[in-house]
Amino acid sequence: MYPFLKTFFWIYFHIFFRVKINGIENIPKEGSSIICSNHLSLYDPLVIGSMVNRKIYFMAKKELFETAFTKWFFETVGAYPVDRTGTDMSAFKTTVKYLKEGKAVGIFAQGKRMKSGDVDTAKSGAALFSLKGNAKIVPVGISSSYQLFSKIYINFGEPLDFTEFKEKKINTENLSIITDIIMSKINSLMKE
């Protein structure tokens, strides 16, 4: 079912929007990766997932899994639930497991939809998962109004490697440094 939905959304976005993609070659073809983007719309995971040539497992708010249909749909497209009200150990373990299995995981840097790329609103989840899952982070900047027939700009940056931090203590300060680097790169990609 996943290949069908991926093809469907690829066609959908190319018919109803003008999709402009840069840097798609920066997505590793295999191995653990974190695709870390800003978040403008519910369309974001669908447009990213349909344009990339590998399956991305997106972390999504648990409210999207509350009905039988939406649960089936989001699980089919590779999403898994996270409780954003606190520390969700189940989502944490799932993410690390996927990364250790060499999968690509999609995370929104700010954790929820936001119109701006304010660095101060970014969460440290991507940084933590990068260190715990031994994964490079591919920053992504999306710019669009998502109005019918408008342009959707998707800029994939070069993978960011934070191996140097693995030898340091995983603490708030180091996670904050990594998060600032990620968000700054996403911001620059949003403006390209």
Side-chain angles (χ1 to χ4, degrees):
M1 197 64 183
Y2 179 82
F4 168 78
L5 288 172
K6 176 180 166 64
T7 302
F8 171 83
F9 283 109
W10 188 93
I11 293 169
Y12 172 84
F13 285 115
H14 280 88
I15 289 174
F16 294 106
F17 299 91
R18 291 177 290 160
V19 182
K20 306 289 182 185
I21 300 174
N22 291 309
I24 194 79
E25 68 279 2
N26 290 321
I27 301 284
K29 290 182 172 53
E30 56 186 34
S32 60
S33 307
I34 296 172
I35 314 304
C36 188
S37 172
N38 61 307
H39 195 11
L40 301 174
S41 163
L42 286 174
Y43 275 137
D44 294 335
L46 298 173
V47 72
I48 292 173
S50 63
M51 302 300 152
V52 173
N53 284 332
R54 65 180 294 189
K55 187 169 185 176
I56 302 174
Y57 295 81
F58 277 97
M59 189 183 288
K61 62 181 181 179
K62 69 174 186 176
E63 291 81 4
L64 296 174
F65 297 79
E66 288 179 348
T67 70
F69 174 76
T70 57
K71 183 176 187 293
W72 167 83
F73 175 79
F74 285 106
E75 286 178 352
T76 301
V77 296
Y80 59 101
V82 61
D83 184 347
R84 298 182 303 172
T85 60
T87 304
D88 186 337
M89 286 309 296
S90 175
F92 177 85
K93 289 176 182 176
T94 299
T95 305
V96 173
K97 174 179 170 283
Y98 283 163
L99 292 172
K100 289 189 173 178
E101 290 172 352
K103 294 177 179 174
V105 170
I107 297 175
F108 294 108
Q110 295 158 300
K112 61 182 178 179
R113 292 189 305 274
M114 300 192 84
K115 294 298 178 188
S116 73
D118 186 359
V119 174
D120 294 333
T121 62
K123 308 292 183 191
S124 61
L128 179 61
F129 291 127
S130 173
L131 299 179
K132 289 287 189 181
N134 196 26
K136 291 183 179 179
I137 294 181
V138 178
V140 184
I142 301 177
S143 301
S144 182
S145 66
Y146 281 111
Q147 293 180 356
L148 210 56
F149 304 115
S150 66
K151 289 181 181 176
I152 302 174
Y153 294 98
I154 310 171
N155 294 313
F156 295 93
E158 292 183 7
L160 303 172
D161 188 349
F162 296 105
T163 306
E164 63 186 276
F165 284 89
K166 284 202 70 151
E167 296 166 11
K168 299 177 182 178
K169 189 174 182 181
I170 298 178
N171 57 26
T172 305
E173 182 183 354
N174 286 330
L175 291 176
S176 180
I177 291 168
I178 295 171
T179 301
D180 286 350
I181 294 169
I182 296 166
M183 201 64 215
S184 293
K185 187 60 182 172
I186 289 172
N187 265 323
S188 69
L189 292 166
M190 287 169 64
K191 293 169 185 171
E192 286 182 10

